[in-house]
Amino acid sequence: MGKPSAKISPSILSADFADLGKDAARMWDYGAEWLHVDCMDGHFVPNLTIGPPVVASLRKRTKAFLDCHMMVSDPAFWVAEYGKIGVDGFCFHLESVAQVPPSQEDFEKLKSLCAMIKENGMRAGVAIKPGTPAESVEALVDLGMVEMVLCMTVEPGFGGQSFKPEVMPKVKYLRERYPDLDIQVDGGIGPKTIDIAAQAGANVIVAGSAVFLAEDPKLVVTQLRKSVESFA
C-alpha cells in the first residue's frame, strides 16, 4: 500500500493579505485543494499574523480545506471558535501543551485537546519543531487521536527560512511506522527541496513563497504534486 494521496497546501503567509480571497481562488484554480493558514499569537512564536475574523472571511471565499497551523500558546482556547467558523483542520504544536517528552499528565492534556478538536468538527493534527523527536507523538498516533503529523522543516514563526534536511530522518521514521498517516512538511519547501521531502515520505506539502511568488504558480503546484506521487 502506498502512502496517502498528495495534498498541496499553499501557505497564505506569502499571499497578498489585502486580497486573500482572490489569492485563495487562484490556488484552487491551480489545483491546490488545501490552504495552509498560519495563526500566530505573538506568544508561542514572536510573530503575530491572523485570527478568527480573517479566517472566517476566508472561509466564505474558498472551498479549499482550511489547514490551520496554530502557533499559539493556548490552542484549547481557540478550538470552539475555529470549529464554529468551519475550519477543516486544526494543527496544534506539541510544545505548546507538553514538555518533551510528554509526561503522563501532559499526555492526558493532549488527549483532551484532540478530543475537543474532533468534537468541534475538525481533523486533529500535531506539529513538532525541528528539534522535537518523532517519538514524542507516537502515542497520539497509535491511539488515533490525530490524523496528521506536521514535521516543521524550519523553526516556526516566520516565512522564507531555509529548509532543514536534517528533519528528513524523522519524516522517514514516521512514514515507515505509519503508512496511512498524513505527514506534512512546512518550511523552505519548493521545487529544489520537494524531492527529498517526498522521498522521505511526506505527502502534505506546505509551500509559501515558492508558490505565491513564482512566475508560474500553477506549474509549481503541479511539480510539488508530481514529486509526491512519484515517490508514493
Side-chain angles (χ1 to χ4, degrees):
M1 182 184 296
K3 64 188 176 188
S5 64
K7 301 173 180 71
I8 310 304
S9 189
S11 172
I12 66 168
L13 196 61
S14 297
D16 179 359
F17 272 35
D19 206 346
L20 282 178
K22 181 178 179 181
D23 270 356
R26 282 200 304 136
M27 293 302 115
W28 179 266
D29 290 343
Y30 296 158
E33 61 275 78
W34 284 34
L35 278 178
H36 191 75
V37 183
D38 287 304
C39 300
M40 309 181 194
D41 65 357
H43 296 281
F44 179 69
V45 293
N47 204 0
L48 182 66
T49 54
I50 61 175
V54 175
V55 178
S57 295
L58 185 61
R59 175 75 288 171
K60 296 173 184 177
R61 298 288 298 275
T62 182
K63 297 179 289 184
F65 182 102
L66 289 186
D67 165 35
C68 286
H69 179 191
M70 305 301 296
M71 287 171 272
V72 298
S73 58
D74 185 8
F77 178 82
W78 299 104
V79 170
E81 192 160 5
Y82 278 78
K84 185 177 180 181
I85 288 168
V87 160
D88 300 286
F90 188 103
C91 184
F92 64 91
H93 265 270
L94 178 81
E95 303 89 354
S96 70
V97 181
Q99 62 185 8
V100 178
S103 66
Q104 185 58 42
E105 182 180 353
D106 288 334
F107 186 59
E108 294 304 317
K109 291 179 183 177
L110 289 164
K111 287 199 299 181
S112 176
L113 175 58
C114 292
M116 187 187 309
I117 292 168
K118 294 171 184 289
E119 288 165 4
N120 279 272
M122 298 175 287
R123 289 177 96 230
V126 59
I128 49 177
K129 295 179 180 181
T132 300
E135 291 83 355
S136 299
V137 300
E138 283 182 320
L140 288 175
V141 181
D142 288 341
L143 289 175
M145 299 303 296
V146 294
E147 286 82 19
M148 184 180 79
V149 174
L150 163 54
C151 293
M152 292 296 296
T153 46
V154 297
E155 293 298 331
F158 294 93
Q161 299 179 63
S162 297
F163 174 79
K164 291 181 179 290
E166 60 266 30
V167 174
M168 292 305 98
K170 187 159 54 175
V171 174
K172 186 172 186 291
Y173 173 84
L174 288 169
R175 176 55 65 213
E176 290 174 349
R177 186 170 174 85
Y178 305 108
D180 301 324
L181 179 68
D182 274 333
I183 300 176
Q184 185 175 68
V185 286
D186 177 9
I189 304 292
K192 293 181 179 179
T193 54
I194 181 58
D195 283 353
I196 185 174
Q199 188 171 19
N203 70 297
V204 185
I205 309 301
V206 177
S209 55
V211 173
F212 281 101
L213 304 184
E215 289 187 12
D216 189 344
K218 183 177 182 179
L219 176 62
V220 174
V221 169
T222 300
Q223 288 175 332
L224 298 176
R225 183 182 304 284
K226 285 185 175 179
S227 179
V228 174
E229 292 173 347
S230 71
F231 290 105

